[in-house]
Amino acid sequence: MSSQITNTLSLPSQAISQLQLAGSDELLLAIHDRQLKREQMLVLGSGSNVVLPAQLPKHVVTITDRSIAVVDEDENSVVIEVGAGKDWHELVLETLEAGWFGLENLALIPGLVGAAPVQNIGAYGRELSGCLLAVSGVDLVARAIRTLDANACELRYRDSVFKGRLRDRFVITSVRLSLNKKAHVNADYPSLARALAVSASSPTPMEVCEAVISTREDRLPDPAEIPNAGSFFKNPVLDDRPAERLRTEFPECPLFEAGGSFKSSAAWMIDQCGLRGFSMGPAGMSAKHALVLVNHGRAQQADVLALAAHVQAVVAQRFGVTLSIEPRVYPDE
Ligand code: EPU
């Protein structure tokens, strides 16, 4: 194996090769010319949401198309098609500069556009699902180019069809988004509202974007300085009974209604267990934000998973809640 795979947790990981392909046509050609089978390939963006093993016996495929094209437009809205290789945060800034609103709450999320639908990226009160119209790419079983509309993507909290039925089967090469030309600001998220209260009373989308950037910079460690993969656990989603139990036993525990269930706060639970800033060997939970697992130096996948298992066990014992790991761990268990 010969190719070191870039990932924001900075775990050492060698793949067989790394193929940079422009889009669907190049991918189909490469599959044909190299006789690549679906099981031999692994598609990665910038590696910001993965926990990689030292040896990855795969050809890693990265889509490089960074284009933005307007496909429809009227006085209120614009529909754009964006290549999967575009940096997400660059897209947020460029759309705002063009006067196209809707992505401002999702500023500074690491990663590429093609990865955004996979975990339905979301932050500060908005999710990608609010503006996604369709996803195009290659179905590796049919070996054909396909477009899936938003419904077919089955976007949920940190979840989609690309993590389920179509995992390792559908390579996203572009994403179609609907954005507004008139601002509909959503600034209710508590930490965002606090950041804006000191700067603007009826904020513009650009001001929301700036507040999101400064909030993220304050609260989340920068992967370029301290390697990490963002939130390492999903926030637990609970039914009535366990939610009621939490509310009774731990009245301080954050609990929000979310589509018939209750979403709690994994960061709060980890913090309450005294694990913010806790280290086990070269891996640790960030001292800045309890939900972010960081690599202090030479961590390998096993160090990360050992710490994650410890955190899960301590939280389960104290709160009776099982935390699920958010980034994808390779190979699948
Ligand atoms: N909190 C603590 N201790 C901490 C950090 C937070 O007790 O160390 C408490 C906060 O006081 C607050 C609650 O936990 O009551 C929630 O904290 P925060 O607003 O930071 O949000 P989060 O639920 O921890 C989620 C996303 C983040 C996203 C933020 C903002 C998930 C798994 N994570 O975190 O996404 O930026 O909301 O919307 O849903 C990511 O996925 O990589 C990511 C950073």
Side-chain angles (χ1 to χ4, degrees), residues 41-220:
M41 287 185 275
L42 189 133
V43 182
L44 275 187
S46 61
S48 59
N49 203 39
V50 288
V51 183
L52 297 178
Q55 302 297 327
L56 188 61
K58 304 266 182 184
H59 298 275
V60 170
V61 170
T62 302
I63 302 298
T64 60
D65 177 12
R66 296 183 180 84
S67 63
I68 303 179
V70 173
V71 291
D72 201 4
E73 171 163 38
D74 63 22
E75 79 232 35
N76 296 318
S77 63
V78 59
V79 175
I80 55 172
E81 183 90 21
V82 188
K86 179 82 182 164
D87 177 78
W88 175 265
H89 181 60
E90 262 177 46
L91 174 70
V92 173
L93 297 182
E94 285 171 30
T95 53
L96 283 177
E97 271 154 28
W100 303 334
F101 310 127
L103 302 184
E104 53 277 4
N105 297 48
L106 304 179
L108 218 59
I109 295 182
L112 305 185
V113 163
V118 177
Q119 58 152 326
N120 182 25
I121 56 170
Y124 304 101
R126 285 257 164 97
E127 287 186 345
L128 180 74
S129 53
C131 63
L132 184 85
L133 290 179
V135 159
S136 294
V138 172
D139 180 325
L140 294 176
V141 171
R143 296 198 167 187
I145 297 173
R146 297 264 192 268
T147 295
L148 304 180
D149 66 17
N151 268 340
C153 295
E154 298 172 18
L155 302 184
R156 311 266 181 276
Y157 168 62
R158 292 291 191 275
D159 199 18
S160 74
V161 73
F162 309 108
K163 279 187 161 185
R165 200 165 40 81
L166 294 184
R167 184 170 67 177
D168 295 334
R169 169 167 176 175
F170 194 91
V171 182
I172 297 170
T173 56
S174 72
V175 162
R176 188 170 287 211
L177 304 174
S178 170
L179 301 175
N180 295 311
K181 291 187 176 172
K182 304 201 166 112
H184 301 283
V185 162
N186 171 354
D188 297 339
Y189 195 86
S191 52
L192 180 58
R194 277 196 298 279
L196 281 161
V198 287
S199 59
S201 52
S202 49
T204 63
M206 199 50 116
E207 285 167 334
V208 171
C209 178
E210 282 159 11
V212 167
I213 292 174
S214 70
T215 306
R216 288 188 76 101
E217 283 174 345
D218 280 355
R219 304 287 324 263
L220 296 166

Side-chain angles (χ1 to χ4, degrees), residues 48-49 105 107 109-110 119 121-126 157-158 189-192 194 212 215-216 219-220 228-236 252 254 256 263-272 276 286-292 326:
S48 59
N49 203 39
N105 297 48
I109 295 182
Q119 58 152 326
I121 56 170
Y124 304 101
R126 285 257 164 97
Y157 168 62
R158 292 291 191 275
Y189 195 86
S191 52
L192 180 58
R194 277 196 298 279
V212 167
T215 306
R216 288 188 76 101
R219 304 287 324 263
L220 296 166
N228 72 79
S231 301
F232 199 81
F233 299 101
K234 294 185 204 180
N235 281 326
E252 305 289 296
F256 311 96
K263 203 196 272 181
S264 188
S265 165
W268 184 86
M269 292 180 187
I270 296 168
D271 209 346
Q272 293 298 304
R276 173 150 58 92
S286 166
K288 254 183 155 181
H289 197 298
L291 197 49
V292 181
E326 204 285 309

